[in-house]
Amino acid sequence: MLRDDIKAATITSMKAGDKERTAALRLIGAKIKDRDIEARTGKAPDNDDDLVTEVLQKMAKQRRESIQMYEDGGRQELADQEKAELAVIEEFLPAMLDEAATKAAIEAIKAEVGAESIKEMGRVMGELKKRHGAELDMGLASALVKASLS
């Protein structure tokens, strides 16, 4: 399981004395625990790896946004720190589909559900997320679905 891989990596990094990596892994662990607490009151995903992947994707998105803001603001040392954290987070994320594979998945779902107008974008996006949620950049997918249905 992904959760166990993260715990093992944390222990390995602590033993190796890699403070930055250890800090990033502990941050990941804390976010996962926060999500576990949230899941107690709501509907938790059936698969634990889906929950962990969801947390990692959210963290990666936050890091990318922060990197952009820091670079725009001229704070390269903070951007570098965020990049290091992002590298650790991405180690545990599943491989993302490239643009061509994303387009192919969109076209297959479009044909299957019979979507032809922008009004049916929600159906296509819902099915896309259900089938490929962990391996998709949903921002890119949304733009591609919108372009495909326009």
Side-chain angles (χ1 to χ4, degrees):
M1 287 181 32
L2 204 47
R3 186 184 299 254
D4 296 334
D5 293 343
I6 293 169
K7 286 179 184 175
T10 304
I11 292 168
T12 303
S13 119
M14 285 171 32
K15 287 180 179 177
D18 188 350
K19 293 183 190 291
E20 291 82 20
R21 182 174 168 77
T22 302
L25 289 166
R26 284 182 173 161
L27 186 63
I28 293 170
K31 290 292 185 184
I32 292 170
K33 285 182 183 178
D34 287 347
R35 183 64 177 89
D36 287 343
I37 292 168
E38 287 176 23
R40 287 184 202 160
T41 59
K43 170 81 172 82
D46 298 330
N47 185 351
D48 186 59
D49 279 354
D50 290 344
L51 181 138
V52 174
T53 302
E54 182 182 304
V55 169
L56 291 172
Q57 286 176 329
K58 186 175 181 179
M59 290 179 72
K61 180 180 179 190
Q62 290 170 340
R63 295 304 174 286
R64 287 186 194 102
E65 290 170 356
S66 295
I67 290 167
Q68 183 64 41
M69 288 189 324
Y70 286 141
E71 287 177 344
D72 291 346
R75 300 292 309 265
Q76 191 58 44
E77 70 281 353
L78 293 174
D80 292 341
Q81 181 181 349
E82 293 288 325
K83 285 178 185 176
E85 287 180 8
L86 180 61
V88 173
I89 292 167
E90 287 178 339
E91 286 178 33
F92 298 101
L93 280 171
M96 302 299 257
L97 292 177
D98 63 350
E99 190 169 337
T102 303
K103 284 181 181 178
I106 290 169
E107 292 304 318
I109 290 171
K110 245 177 63 176
E112 191 176 305
V113 299
E116 295 179 8
S117 72
I118 197 73
K119 292 179 182 177
E120 296 168 300
M121 182 175 172
R123 286 180 54 207
V124 174
M125 287 298 294
E127 191 64 29
L128 195 60
K129 186 169 184 171
K130 184 168 43 168
R131 292 186 194 175
H132 305 285
E135 52 199 21
L136 271 180
D137 175 0
M138 293 309 280
L140 172 65
S142 176
L144 293 174
V145 169
K146 190 177 286 186
S148 175
L149 292 174
S150 298

